[in-house]
Amino acid sequence: MFLDSDLLMSALRALTPILLAALGGALCERSGVFNIGLEGMMLMGCFTSVATSWFTGSPWLGVLAAALAAAAYSLILAVGAVTLRGDAVVLGIAMNLLAVGLTSFLLRTVFGVQGTFDDPSLAGLPLIGGFTPLAYLSWAAVAVAALLLSRHVWGLRLRGVGEAPAAAATLGVSPAKYQYGAILLSGVLCGLAGAQLALGNVTLFTENMTAGRGWIAVVAVMLGRAAPLGVLLAALLFGLAEAAGFRLQGLGLPQQATDAAPYVVTLGALFLTTARRRRRPRTTGAVQ
């Protein structure tokens, strides 16, 4: 049977890194900063978590280091887009490209290998009920983010900064302060996503191992309209696509075809969303 509990478990495991990164992207979107540097932040989290876990023997120190490293890396976007008023899209693309080159360089420098670092002594995250603690944390983060954005004063001000920064400034709210906070928090979440990918889903580091998951997280933000529950549903869709790809590979389909499954779903979802949004203004005009 193709659809079974094992497929659901696999989808939930694939969901975690995408969901964590997408929640970070959603916070940035609410603050008025379009963050497409999620892929680079995740990749920095992957390498830092593996390197720290290998040197210290503690996967939890690896998780902490990944969160801090990705947050520090996110300062490139914060300083460039908020302080220096640069183009956030250009900065995000540059961060993604830089992360690929930097982690490949560090892989050769720190471990003296190319391609993949895989060591039996590398400590991975423990499993509780088939999932790592970061998986449960990602689910809880959806509820926390939803409450934060709808009930807490910080979340309401963040939304105000994103929707009308000039009006927020006249009320004594600093748009730069809240945008910095959202970007740094997105870095932390992307670092956790990288740690989950490198120490939870697998226990190794390979060059460019995020393999487009950060871009899928960006699409999840767009499909979910930066709402935590919408982001969760969009990320679950991509998690199911990735799990189905692995299942089809086990049934004999070529790896290249099954690896493309999440990206085919991404393109299809973007197409349907774009078509729906273009249709709405025409309908409104016809009624008027």
Side-chain angles (χ1 to χ4, degrees), residues 30-228:
R30 288 301 182 98
S31 74
V33 178
F34 185 44
N35 186 357
I36 64 171
L38 304 178
E39 177 91 355
M41 295 179 196
M42 283 181 65
L43 193 56
M44 293 300 294
C46 289
F47 179 83
T48 306
S49 64
V50 167
T52 304
S53 179
W54 188 71
F55 280 111
T56 65
S58 170
W60 295 114
L61 287 177
V63 170
L64 177 62
L68 294 176
Y73 194 66
S74 71
L75 285 173
I76 297 176
L77 178 62
V79 174
V82 179
T83 302
L84 301 179
R85 304 293 182 183
D87 191 312
V89 173
V90 174
L91 286 167
I93 293 173
M95 289 173 65
N96 292 336
L97 296 174
L98 175 61
V100 173
L102 183 58
T103 53
S104 297
F105 170 76
L106 291 174
L107 182 63
R108 292 165 175 80
T109 303
V110 176
F111 298 114
V113 299
Q114 297 185 43
T116 302
F117 173 75
D118 184 10
D119 193 287
S121 62
L122 179 61
L125 292 170
L127 295 179
I128 303 173
F131 303 101
T132 69
L134 289 182
Y136 298 106
L137 177 64
S138 69
W139 305 338
V142 174
V144 172
L147 290 174
L148 184 69
L149 292 172
S150 62
R151 303 287 183 179
H152 196 274
V153 63
W154 188 88
L156 295 174
R157 288 179 176 176
L158 183 74
R159 292 170 57 185
V161 165
E163 294 172 5
T170 61
L171 297 175
V173 177
S174 171
K177 177 182 176 182
Y178 280 85
Q179 288 174 339
Y180 260 81
I183 293 171
L184 287 171
L185 190 52
S186 76
V188 170
L189 290 169
C190 285
L192 295 178
Q196 167 65 28
L197 186 60
L199 296 179
N201 291 14
V202 294
T203 312
L204 54 84
F205 177 82
T206 187
E207 294 182 19
N208 198 25
M209 69 180 298
T210 47
R213 288 178 176 85
W215 293 103
I216 291 177
V218 172
V219 176
V221 175
M222 297 168 64
L223 292 180
R225 303 204 172 196

Side-chain angles (χ1 to χ4, degrees), residues 243-271:
F246 287 128
R247 176 65 61 88
L248 292 172
Q249 185 177 336
L251 295 177
L253 266 70
Q255 180 181 350
Q256 292 81 359
T258 57
D259 286 347
Y263 310 105
V264 171
V265 171
T266 301
L267 290 174
L270 279 175
F271 175 79

